Structures are given as C-alpha cells and as structure tokens.
Amino acid sequence: HLTILMLKAGFRTDYVPDAIAATVVPDRMGPYLRQQLRWARSTFRDTLLALRLLRGLDYYLTLDVIGQNLGPLLLALTVLAGVLQVALTATVPLWTVMMIASLTMIRCGVAAVRARQLRFLAFSLHTPINLFFLLPLKAYALCT
C-alpha cells in the first residue's frame, strides 16, 4: 500500500534484493486466517488503486500485481472444475492436479529466482493450506 501511495505521488521505488523485512506470523490458525483476510482485502483494494499506475510500472511489478489477483482466480476455477468432474463423472481429474502443481511450481519458481534462493521452492508445501483455507478466504475478502 505504501509503495502504491509513493508511486501515485510521483515518487520512484526500487527493488533492493538485499533488503531485510520482518513480519509477525501468528502461530495459531485462527489469528493466521484473520491476518490473511486483512492482507487479501488490502491486496484487492490496492490493486484497484494501482490500475491507473500499471502502465508506468516496472514490467515485473506489473506481472506480480496481475498474478496476485489472477492467480487465486485461476486456482479457484481449476479447483471448481476438478470438483465438478469428480461429482459428474466420478473420475479423477488428473488435469486439475497437474494444473495446480504447475501453478504452484511457477509461483515458487518465480519467488526462488527473484530471491535467488532455492529454499523458496519448499513453499509448495503450503499448497494444501492455500487450497482449503486461503482460497475460500480470498473469495470472502473479495465479496466483503
């Protein structure tokens, strides 16, 4: 949000690869989900603020903003199509599993390349939490 406000005011921002940032991550699921709900609402709100700025932003930042909003939508549509396939045909939706795995590896791969650290590939272990908790939470955030 602060970056968008700075850009909107006409200032320039830079990516600093060796910058260190810290955040508090709750150690219980309830507070974690409340934090994620706040962050999801903020992402959607900030995207609306940044729409006019996208053309003037760095190419990677523009892709990141688009990905943060389209990624969950594509994932939700993929999961919904897979659930429908199971319900209507009683067959395992292998293409759904492959799509989710592909989206996961792309996101983790981009983070690993951007941070220049292979440990970000382990973020793929977060996928079940994303599918079963955060995806519905993001839908709720968008609606509220």
Side-chain angles (χ1 to χ4, degrees):
H1 183 70
L2 293 175
T3 302
I4 290 171
L5 292 176
M6 296 300 286
L7 290 169
K8 200 172 179 181
F11 291 98
R12 207 182 91 185
T13 63
D14 287 316
Y15 173 70
V16 180
D18 57 341
I20 297 173
T23 187
V24 176
V25 179
D27 57 358
R28 290 176 308 157
M29 189 61 87
Y32 174 71
L33 291 176
R34 281 192 296 279
Q35 177 193 56
Q36 293 301 306
L37 178 61
R38 283 193 315 275
W39 287 4
R41 284 178 175 149
S42 177
T43 298
F44 292 132
R45 182 191 66 236
D46 289 343
T47 298
L48 290 175
L49 289 173
L51 283 177
R52 289 178 294 156
L53 301 171
L54 283 180
R55 266 184 251 128
L57 294 179
D58 175 76
Y59 177 71
Y60 178 80
L61 186 56
T62 301
L63 285 177
D64 189 51
V65 169
I66 292 168
Q68 282 188 30
N69 290 279
L70 289 183
L73 177 62
L74 290 173
L75 187 58
L77 291 173
T78 301
V79 169
L80 183 60
V83 168
L84 284 173
Q85 180 178 336
V86 169
L88 297 175
T89 66
T91 60
V92 175
L94 186 58
W95 64 271
T96 300
V97 174
M98 295 302 292
M99 182 62 78
I100 291 170
S102 298
L103 289 170
T104 299
M105 292 316 295
I106 288 169
R107 287 284 285 176
C108 294
V110 167
V113 168
R114 185 174 176 199
R116 297 181 187 101
Q117 294 182 19
L118 287 177
R119 66 188 178 105
F120 279 91
L121 294 176
F123 193 63
S124 61
L125 300 174
H126 185 260
T127 299
I129 293 171
N130 194 15
L131 289 174
F132 298 112
F133 294 104
L134 299 182
L135 201 55
L137 187 109
K138 287 180 182 184
Y140 178 73
L142 185 61
C143 293
T144 60

